[in-house]
Structure formats: structure tokens, C-alpha cells
Amino acid sequence: MSDALSDVIQTDTAQATEAATETASEVGQFLLDKPLKILIVLVVCFVARYLLLRLIGRVATGIATGASRLGGRGTKRYGLLESSPLLSERREQRAGTIASVLKSATTLVLGIAAVMSVLDIVGVSIAPFLASAGIAGVAIGFGAQALVKDFLSGFFMLAEDQYGVGDVVDLGDATGTVEAVGLRVTRLRDVQGTVWYVRNGEIIRVGNQSQGWARAVLDVSVAYDADVAHVQEVLQRVGDALAEEEDWKPLVLERPDVWGVEQMAADAIVLRLVVKTAPLQQWAVQRELRRRIKAAFDAAGIEFPFPQRTVWLRNDGGRPQQPRRPGTADPAAAAGSHPPPRSEADVSAETTADVDPESVHRGS
């Protein structure tokens, strides 16, 4: 009897020991296997996120502090452009927006990948989640096509540096100075003070009047009986005098050039004068040139045509050129000298300075 009881006790003890061993083995395997795998996944995702964010930060810093790509290698750099606070603001905003978007996207992708990997390790089927996410993505894609289009257009616009804060742009329906650039909406103010909000997805073309350099183009009309060669000489002297003055020299990047006869209209001969200027300074240069050309033409006796018909009765072969006014040695100097007035660049700089930096949407 005692032997039987001893056998039963030994059998139960062996079974209990075996069960305890199996349980301990399973617990040890669980503690050493799955948590270790989960820890490895989290560490890998964290290290990858850290490296990617650091790389994105370096790229953004290079964009914000690097030289403008407008001039390119081997081309002339203009000090006024390189030192412009508007250009620095545009670089910083562009770099900040791109960095914010890329960092958010990196964190989101790595976070989703880590969660899915952990669920798969612990034995939770992720197939329903993937199916639900696919259906939700399709539904959101159909319902928010315009929003996705706006964000994608805004991102590529910033990446390509099409325009930025302080630029004067033509977006088709609206033209003015850019006050804020976001991934979804661009805000600009026109010359009349109207603020326009343009969705980036609706922008088909962009005309930027302030990147790199600008050109002042003046079409000057003179009467048919004027001496074209003499008119071209006067225009060239007026342009050269403007370019050589200390007040205007920083705004004029190259020597003015008279291209010649641009058009032979019904009432006048049109000559074209062009001047390469600093960004946003073309309008100030045009206004000053018009003022000086008017004074120079008056001093040289060159007539501006009027929309009228005049019948001349002559007995000789032609009408003599009007004499120059006495006391004027050089017609180009008749207008005198004036410093540059307030231009669109000054107004744009003040407008940008008045904008609250917190109101500039960098990632919205």
C-alpha cells in the first residue's frame, strides 16, 4: 500500500515538476523573445527617426543660409540681392516649412511601422487594420482631393522656390506682394491694398517679378519728322547719366541700352530703351527715366506726338528741326538729379516687416 502511494506521489511530483518546467520555459521564452523583439523594433525606429530628422535639419539649415541658386555658378552676384532681408525671410520660411513637413511625415511613417511590427510580434493580426486603413484612405482621398492637391502643390512650390515672402508675383487672378506662404494657401496684397488668398492647387502659372533681376522697359514715341539717330543719342545719354549717379548706381545692374526703333505707329515712331535693374526696382527706374527723358526732349527740341492730324503747307522741301533751347549745353542734363524715391521694394519690405511672423503659416 505504501509502495503504491509512494509511486503516485512520485508520479504527481514528476508531472508537477514537468509542468512547472514547461511553464517556466514558456515564461522565459516570452520574456526573452517577444519583449526583446519589441525592444529591437523600437530602438531601430527611434535611431532611424533620429538620423532622418538630423539629416532633414541639416538640409533645411543649408537652404536657409546657403547662397541663392538664382545666379548659378559662374554668374555675376549682386550685393543688393544677396543682402536683401526679404530674400533671407523667404529662405528661412521655405526651409522651415519643408523641414516641418518632412519631419512630420517621417515621424508618422516610422510610428505606424513600429506599431504594426509590435502588433505582429505579440500575435495580433494586422490584416483587418490594413484593410480598414485602405478603405479609409480611399474614402478620404475621394472626399479631400482638393485639399490633397493644395498641399502637394504647396510643397513642390516651396521645394522649387517659385516664390516667397516679399516677392511680387502674378498668379493669374491676383497680382501683388506675397505676405505669407503656406502649404494650402498663399496670401498676397495688390497695389490697391486688397488682400488675396489663393489656394495653391488652383495656381496654374506663376510670374515672379522679383527673382534675380528685373528690366525696366521704356517705349518712347517721337514724331515722324524727328531725327531718329539724334533721339537715340539723347536716350543713351539720359540712361548713362542715370546709371553713373551714386544714388542710382546700386539699382542699375548694367549699362542702359537703346534697342532702336520698336514700332512705326500711325502717329509716331516708337523707340525702346531697356535697363537691367535690381529686383523690384524697375518701376522706380522707369519713373525717373521718364522724367529725365521729358526734360531732355524739351531741351533738345524733340517733339512728342499727339493723337491728332496736322496739315502742313510748305513752300520748301521740308520742315526744319526745332532749335534747341538756349542755355542748355547737354539735353540729357536738363532734368537735373534726384535721389531714388520710395519704390515697390521699399513698400514690400515695410509690408513684410509689419506682418506678424507668427501669422505666417509655415506648415498649414
Side-chain angles (χ1 to χ4, degrees), residues 236-258:
Q236 187 65 58
R237 281 188 288 174
V238 170
D240 291 342
L242 178 71
E244 293 172 359
E245 290 189 7
E246 292 297 328
D247 292 335
W248 293 93
K249 187 178 295 184
L251 309 185
V252 180
L253 303 182
E254 293 182 359
R255 182 174 183 265
D257 188 16
V258 180

Side-chain angles (χ1 to χ4, degrees), residues 68-72 76 78 80-82 84 86-87 90-91 94 156-170 178 181 206-215 253 276-283 345 348:
S68 173
R69 66 178 178 84
L70 297 173
K76 182 180 179 180
Y78 304 112
L80 183 65
L81 173 63
E82 293 299 324
S84 172
L86 298 179
L87 182 60
R90 185 179 73 201
R91 288 175 182 169
R94 175 189 173 208
F156 284 108
M157 177 271 299
L158 288 172
E160 296 170 359
D161 195 20
Q162 296 179 10
Y163 57 85
V165 174
D167 288 352
V168 177
V169 297
D170 180 1
V178 178
V181 180
V206 176
N208 196 323
Q209 303 179 22
S210 51
Q211 279 193 351
W213 53 271
R215 175 173 283 148
L253 303 182
K276 191 173 184 179
T277 70
L280 299 179
Q281 299 294 337
Q282 62 268 36
W283 299 290
S348 175

Side-chain angles (χ1 to χ4, degrees), residues 17-41:
T17 303
E18 184 179 357
T21 302
E22 293 178 357
T23 303
S25 177
E26 292 177 357
V27 172
Q29 183 179 4
F30 176 81
L31 293 177
L32 296 177
D33 185 16
K34 294 184 178 180
L36 182 60
K37 291 181 178 178
I38 293 174
L39 180 61
I40 292 175
V41 169

Side-chain angles (χ1 to χ4, degrees), residues 169-227:
V169 297
D170 180 1
L171 301 183
D173 295 333
T175 301
T177 303
V178 178
E179 290 188 345
V181 180
L183 285 179
R184 191 180 68 87
V185 174
T186 295
R187 187 179 79 233
L188 65 157
R189 188 183 300 270
D190 63 17
V191 69
Q192 298 177 348
T194 304
V195 178
W196 294 85
Y197 294 87
V198 184
R199 288 171 44 198
N200 294 330
E202 299 298 323
I203 299 175
I204 300 177
R205 61 171 177 82
V206 176
N208 196 323
Q209 303 179 22
S210 51
Q211 279 193 351
W213 53 271
R215 175 173 283 148
V217 180
L218 282 85
D219 289 336
V220 182
S221 300
V222 297
Y224 263 94
D225 59 352
D227 185 353

